[in-house]
Structure formats: structure tokens, C-alpha cells
Amino acid sequence: MAPRPGEDDLIARYFAPLAGLAGLGLRDDAALIRPPAGRELVVTTDALVAGVHFFADDPPGAIARKALRVNLSDLAAKGAAPLGFVLDLALPADWTADWLEAFAAGLGDDASAYSCPLLGGDTVRTPGPLTLAITAFGAVAPGRFVARSGARAGDAMYVTGSIGDAALGLRLRRGERLVIAEAHRSFLIDRYLLPQPRLALAPALARFANASMDVSDGLVGDLTKLLRVSGVSARIELARTPLSPAAAAAIAVEPALFEAAVTGGDDYELIVI
Amino acid sequence: MAPRPGEDDLIARYFAPLAGLAGLGLRDDAALIRPPAGRELVVTTDALVAGVHFFADDPPGAIARKALRVNLSDLAAKGAAPLGFVLDLALPADWTADWLEAFAAGLGDDASAYSCPLLGGDTVRTPGPLTLAITAFGAVAPGRFVARSGARAGDAMYVTGSIGDAALGLRLRRGERLVIAEAHRSFLIDRYLLPQPRLALAPALARFANASMDVSDGLVGDLTKLLRVSGVSARIELARTPLSPAAAAAIAVEPALFEAAVTGGDDYELIVI
């Protein structure tokens, strides 16, 4: 087991390599953001707790990537392009240098893949479970922020991908048995572990969408929230919900899983209206 | 005991009243920040854990205010004026509506007093201790961000107020006995509980300072960090460290406390160079 560095060394060793120019090498108390000329700044934040939002024994890189990706998913829903993020990390007493190295490597891979550098953060200790919060920043053209509240009577509704995979993947991750092919099984667990933020669609949303939000708490519940703040109601033909081949296979064997698919969380697909 | 609301009601009831226009009534996944024309955006974040950074039985309003103020202190050190903040709050299972109401009231008082509205956040549950992270945003004129790394040979060094009060206040809060007047005792405990962010000095810092940081981990340690990233060394006449009458009284009775005063944390005064 590698020796554990102190906080400053920890930042220098694991996190400074992830920092963009605005992060000042993570050697300051604050970062400096210059939004691109003529752009507005979008801010979003999500907190994750071990044992609540992920399993403490999930691969450390996957925990880091999920924490960043759930925030990138919010940016995508608002039509924004990523600019960077800050990380608050509360480490339990038993953290190891190996764990943190793998965590930082996963975070760095995604920061690079999504052009979203680490700008700063805070690392503290906790007597409780590993807890992390990421606050991410994005840029959107003026007036193009896609609100939850913009849905209007007569609008059509879309989702950006298959629904329910993560809810079924979570059941598998918990050890529940589903009689499906091994490839379907891996697909569903991966969909739970690693959300795919739909950033490629953000420019189209900024141009054409009236309202959007990402599905983190389940399609039915999240759509209800969007409709409420928009002041409209909707008729959804649930039978037309897009399902992956893996989810369709699981539901074919056990039809009651359909309800779990449309009410379960962690899809991180976008509702677009 | 008042009944406990669900997450959406909790946000609507306690936190939405604290939201500025950019927070969109906290009814969206993200907030929209428009930095004032021609200003750059400063971002800082700090996490606090019950039992580590504050006592779980501290007044809830004081916990909230300290969490915001330690971030405002960082903005002040960078020469920035507050624009707003986001809050990540992990609540343990035993939270009560009364506790949260007092927490939100304290947070709202400071958000208002410092013109720093709540823009958004995330509220989650935790099996561990109460944990919160605040990310605060400020505005600074282009090129006026006051870095840690700008100290040069020949510069003079200042602090913005008395040093060591909070370190002594923490000892009192822990139940250690110091033979001092009751008024001194209250003063020191209050200095520990409620930092005073030096935002009034931020414009002067932005104009005149070469380097700055706030003292959160102790004068000696934090100054060492600043000097290291600036690539200079300093000779400090510790005997000239500004002490409050309360700290001076405590040190007069027990001279060994002077070391605690200059190495203890939570001063939230600024080192200005």
C-alpha cells in the first residue's frame, strides 16, 4: 500500500494535473473563470454519498466519473457547453493512496474527454462515508438557457435515449436475479454505473427546445416536476417509451419491471420539449 | 416537533426564499449567472463536516453562516465582490424541520447582509454526519484577481485584524478553562463561531495588493503556503502580531497560548502583501 500524502501533497500529486489554466494550478484559494465573450454562465451542483448514491466498493474511477457526469448531464439539459468544475471531497479515515489515485485518474479521463477541467476544490476528512459534491460551469448563448419551465400546450416530448436501463442495472448490482443474457446484464449495470451525458445534443437544445431536464429521479417523477413548473399537463403513451434491447428482454421475462423502468432513477437521458 | 417535508417541499419552503433572480426560484436543475459587464468571475468552494469543522450542536444558524462566510472570506482575499452561491447539503437521518428552519434563517440573513443570494444546490441524505459544501461566486475587474503567488522581495505584509482569537475560542468551546473575564470569553467564542469576512477591504486589495489569502489554517502555516507559491521568504516579527484585548489577556495569564494563537486556524483575517 502506498503511503498517504498530506492535503497539499495530495492536491499537488493527484488533482493539480487535472487543472485547467483557470484553476491556477490549484495553488490558490479560488479560481478565475472568464466565460467566452457574449456567453452566459450556467452553474449546476450535485452531491453524492457512498451507500446512498453509489456503492462504497464501486471502482473509484467510476465514482469520480459518475459524480462529474451527473453534473454534465444537467449542463446538457440546459443547452450549455462545459467550462470546468470544482470538487468538494470528504474522505473517510480509511482512504488509501491507491484508491485516490484511481479516483483522480477516472476524473482526469472524463475532464479531458468532456473538455471540462478541474478548477479548484476542497478536500476534508469525515468520520462518515465518502461524500463528494461537484459544481460544474457551462456556457450558453444569451437567452438560450433551456429552462424546466418552458413547456407549452401542444408541444411534443422526446427523450434522448432508452429509459429504465439504470434502474434495472441497479437491481442487478444489488444482486437481484434477472434471467437475461450476460451481454444484456453487463449493459444494464454499465448504464447504472456510468451515465452518458448528452452534451452532443446541447447546441440543438439551445436552438430548438422549449424546456428540458435530465432524468435522474425517474421519467414519471421528473416529467411531473417539469410539467408542474411549466403549468401544463401531458398525456404520455408509456407503451412508446424507448427501451434498450437489454431492458426489453428483462421486461419480457418479468413484465412488472416496466414500472421500475419508468419510475426508477439514474437514466441521465434528457426530457426535451 | 414540526413534520418533515419532502425534498421539493423542503426547497420550496426553506431555500427558495433565499434565491436571487439567477436562481430561477430554485425550480430548475441549474442557475444562470451573468457576471457584470467587463468583470471576471471568481469561484471558491469549501466543505464543512459536523464534528470536524464545527460542533454538531452549534446553533444551526451559526453553522450556515460560517459555511457561507468562510467562502466569502476567500472572495475578499481575491479582491472580489460576492455574486451568489450554491449549497450542497447532506442531512443525517435525524434532521428536524425546526433545525432546518433555523439553518435557512441564518443562511438567509447572511445572504442578504452580504448581497450574496442562493442560486441553487442539492439536498441529499447521509448515514454520516451533517456535511455541507458551499461554492461561492464573485466578480473582479479584469487583471485584478489577487493571487497567492504575487508576493515579491521587499513587499510589506499586513493582516486585516487580530490573530488567534478563534484558536482560543475553540479551546473555550471545547471546555478548556482560561482565567479571563466573561466578556473576553464570549468575544473569543464568537470569533470562532462566526468569522467576519473582510469584504469591505476587497476593492482596496484589488487595487493595491500584490498577493493575498485568508488565514484559515493558522497564520504561520498559511503564510508559509503563500510564500512558497510566490517563491519568496519572509522575516516575521511575531511579537508585532495584532492581538485582541481578549487574546492578549488570555496569553498574559498563560504565555504558551501565543503559539496556539499564531498557528491555530479559523481566523479568517486576510494576509495582504
Side-chain angles (χ1 to χ4, degrees):
Chain A
M1 209 157 67
R4 289 167 30 153
E7 189 189 359
D8 288 344
D9 288 341
L10 180 159
I11 293 169
R13 188 180 307 178
Y14 299 118
F15 293 119
L18 282 55
L21 278 180
L24 307 168
L26 306 188
R27 299 189 310 167
D28 213 303
D29 311 278
L32 192 56
I33 299 184
R34 299 180 184 93
R39 295 273 154 164
E40 293 181 335
L41 194 81
V42 178
V43 180
T44 183
T45 191
D46 275 297
L48 292 88
V49 179
V52 179
H53 303 93
F54 58 89
F55 293 85
D57 63 351
D58 279 343
I63 295 169
R65 294 163 81 179
K66 182 167 191 172
L68 180 55
R69 289 177 181 207
V70 300
N71 279 285
L72 295 175
S73 178
D74 282 324
L75 292 182
K78 305 296 109 184
L83 288 175
F85 70 102
V86 297
L87 167 69
D88 289 289
L89 182 61
L91 289 169
D94 63 353
W95 72 271
T96 65
D98 292 341
W99 189 94
L100 201 62
E101 189 173 346
F103 178 90
L107 194 62
D109 285 348
D110 270 10
S112 171
Y114 294 108
S115 305
C116 190
L118 180 64
L119 302 178
D122 194 17
T123 306
V124 298
R125 63 194 165 87
T126 177
L130 177 75
T131 302
L132 57 165
I134 281 183
T135 302
F137 311 99
V140 71
R144 293 298 190 180
F145 177 94
V146 185
R148 268 195 201 180
S149 56
R152 294 183 291 227
D155 283 349
M157 174 189 143
Y158 304 86
V159 288
T160 54
S162 57
I163 294 294
D165 298 324
L168 301 181
L170 171 59
R171 286 175 176 236
L172 292 167
R173 179 68 181 78
R174 278 187 183 143
E176 286 186 38
R177 289 194 54 192
L178 294 179
V179 187
I180 51 173
E182 186 52 39
H184 285 339
R185 195 184 143 79
S186 319
F187 173 85
L188 294 174
I189 291 179
D190 187 65
R191 286 278 282 163
Y192 167 71
L193 206 56
L194 276 184
Q196 302 294 331
R198 299 303 179 195
L199 285 163
L201 293 170
L205 262 68
R207 254 189 99 180
F208 300 114
N210 287 336
S212 176
M213 73 183 288
D214 69 341
V215 182
S216 54
D217 295 335
L219 177 65
V220 171
D222 284 337
L223 177 60
T224 304
K225 289 180 198 170
L226 184 150
L227 295 170
R228 188 182 297 138
V229 297
S230 291
V232 294
S233 61
R235 189 169 57 94
I236 305 297
E237 297 174 49
L238 277 179
R240 293 173 62 190
T241 307
L243 297 177
S244 67
I251 291 167
V253 176
E254 199 175 324
L257 288 176
F258 182 72
E259 189 178 327
V262 296
T263 59
D266 281 330
D267 287 308
Y268 298 103
E269 297 294 344
L270 309 181
I271 299 173
V272 182
I273 290 177
Chain B
M1 208 156 67
R4 289 167 30 153
E7 189 189 358
D8 289 344
D9 289 341
L10 179 159
I11 293 169
R13 188 180 306 177
Y14 300 117
F15 293 119
L18 281 54
L21 278 179
L24 307 168
L26 306 188
R27 299 189 310 167
D28 212 302
D29 311 277
L32 192 56
I33 299 185
R34 298 181 184 92
R39 296 273 154 164
E40 293 180 335
L41 195 81
V42 178
V43 180
T44 184
T45 191
D46 274 297
L48 293 88
V49 179
V52 179
H53 302 93
F54 58 89
F55 293 85
D57 63 351
D58 278 343
I63 295 169
R65 293 163 81 179
K66 182 168 190 170
L68 180 55
R69 289 177 182 207
V70 299
N71 279 286
L72 295 175
S73 178
D74 282 323
L75 292 182
K78 305 296 109 184
L83 288 174
F85 70 102
V86 297
L87 166 70
D88 289 289
L89 183 61
L91 288 169
D94 63 352
W95 72 272
T96 64
D98 292 341
W99 189 95
L100 201 61
E101 189 173 346
F103 178 90
L107 194 61
D109 284 349
D110 270 10
S112 172
Y114 293 108
S115 304
C116 190
L118 180 63
L119 302 178
D122 194 17
T123 306
V124 298
R125 63 195 165 86
T126 178
L130 177 76
T131 302
L132 58 165
I134 282 183
T135 302
F137 311 100
V140 71
R144 292 298 191 179
F145 177 94
V146 185
R148 268 195 200 178
S149 56
R152 294 182 292 227
D155 284 348
M157 174 190 143
Y158 304 85
V159 288
T160 55
S162 57
I163 294 295
D165 298 325
L168 302 181
L170 171 60
R171 287 173 176 236
L172 292 167
R173 179 69 181 77
R174 278 186 182 143
E176 286 185 38
R177 289 194 54 193
L178 294 180
V179 187
I180 50 173
E182 186 51 39
H184 285 339
R185 196 184 142 80
S186 319
F187 173 84
L188 294 174
I189 291 179
D190 186 65
R191 286 278 282 164
Y192 168 71
L193 205 57
L194 276 183
Q196 303 293 330
R198 299 302 180 196
L199 286 164
L201 293 171
L205 261 67
R207 253 188 100 181
F208 300 113
N210 287 336
S212 176
M213 72 183 288
D214 69 340
V215 182
S216 54
D217 296 334
L219 176 64
V220 170
D222 284 336
L223 178 59
T224 303
K225 289 180 199 171
L226 184 151
L227 294 170
R228 188 182 300 139
V229 297
S230 290
V232 294
S233 61
R235 191 170 55 94
I236 306 297
E237 297 174 50
L238 278 178
R240 293 173 62 191
T241 306
L243 297 176
S244 66
I251 291 167
V253 176
E254 199 176 323
L257 288 176
F258 182 73
E259 189 178 327
V262 295
T263 59
D266 280 331
D267 287 308
Y268 297 104
E269 298 294 346
L270 310 180
I271 299 172
V272 183
I273 290 178

